Amino acid sequence: GGNTVTEPKRELVVRHEEEEEVYGRILRELGNCRLEVFCFDSQTRLAHIPGRLQGKVWIRRGDTVLLTLRSYHPEKAYILHK
């Protein structure tokens, strides 16, 4: 045998429409905790990985993430959950 690692099932986090949250798919990593994300509302945005997720959650190209939009910069967002 080899190593058999079973990942625990994660609970689905549902978006809240009133809080300006959208789902998106990672297109590419830009460095410095920034990512280019294609959101499910057909817009491409610049997303930032907050410090609470850095080093704890690995986010790669093709992953689906939950984003919260910035009210003062609609073309930018923060990643809430992977």
Side-chain angles (χ1 to χ4, degrees), residues 39-58:
C39 298
F40 290 177
D41 60 355
S42 300
Q43 291 187 0
T44 302
R45 292 188 170 91
L46 180 69
H48 185 274
I49 303 171
R52 66 181 177 86
L53 294 179
Q54 292 176 16
K56 297 178 183 130
V57 177
W58 293 100

Side-chain angles (χ1 to χ4, degrees), residues 62-78:
D63 287 345
T64 301
V65 293
L66 180 62
L67 305 164
T68 182
L69 304 179
R70 296 183 189 178
S71 58
Y72 50 91
H73 287 292
E75 69 278 356
K76 296 183 180 180
Y78 290 111

Side-chain angles (χ1 to χ4, degrees), residues 10-27:
R10 290 187 296 171
E11 187 176 325
L12 178 66
V13 176
V14 181
R15 74 181 186 100
H16 298 102
E17 291 183 25
E18 62 274 0
E19 295 181 17
E20 296 182 346
E21 295 178 356
V22 295
Y23 290 107
R25 185 165 302 256
I26 306 297
L27 295 177

